[in-house]
Amino acid sequence: MTLAIRTVGIEALLTPQNSVLLLIDHQPFQFANLHSHEPTLIVNNVVGLAKTAKVFQVPTILTTVLEERGGLLIKDVQDVFPDQKPINRTFINTWKISASSRR
């Protein structure tokens, strides 16, 4: 029998130790046909989120897709994590795992 422990109150809050930020494919071409929001606003918000994660030491994962065709991560985000190389995926679907990564 598995006993589930429910956390309530302050223990239920996210902390840098129990969370991660995943910034998926923030590349210039991803904003090319964006019509629902102003691209500059989105970039500014993502950069602000990245900076906040860094200040609070939240582990952050950066990804790109088809970097050789779609371009590098936007500079302002990469500047927040200058030593981190984004994971460059070859599949458009972020959740698809390539055969080589299953080994």
Side-chain angles (χ1 to χ4, degrees):
M1 182 168 136
T2 304
L3 179 61
I5 299 173
R6 291 185 53 169
T7 306
V8 295
I10 198 159
E11 289 81 25
L13 298 175
L14 288 176
T15 67
Q17 293 75 33
N18 68 7
S19 58
V20 65
L21 175 62
L22 176 59
L23 296 177
I24 300 173
D25 307 345
H26 289 86
Q27 297 162 268
F29 82 97
Q30 298 287 18
F31 301 102
N33 291 314
L34 183 67
H35 301 293
S36 62
H37 295 80
E38 172 61 37
T40 304
L41 176 65
I42 293 174
V43 170
N44 289 341
N45 287 342
V46 168
V47 171
L49 178 61
K51 287 178 178 180
T52 301
K54 186 165 187 168
V55 166
F56 287 99
Q57 299 177 342
V58 174
T60 302
I61 299 170
L62 308 172
T63 74
T64 56
V65 63
L66 302 171
E67 190 175 90
E68 59 283 351
R69 292 191 313 201
L72 301 173
L73 195 67
I74 54 178
K75 184 181 179 329
D76 292 342
V77 172
Q78 187 65 72
D79 287 348
V80 177
F81 304 101
D83 299 327
Q84 186 173 341
K85 173 84 173 108
I87 298 168
N88 183 30
R89 299 181 334 279
T90 56
F91 293 105
I92 299 295
N93 182 344
T94 304
W95 310 115
K96 187 170 184 176
I97 299 172
S98 68
S100 63
S101 39
R102 286 188 218 141
R103 296 184 193 143

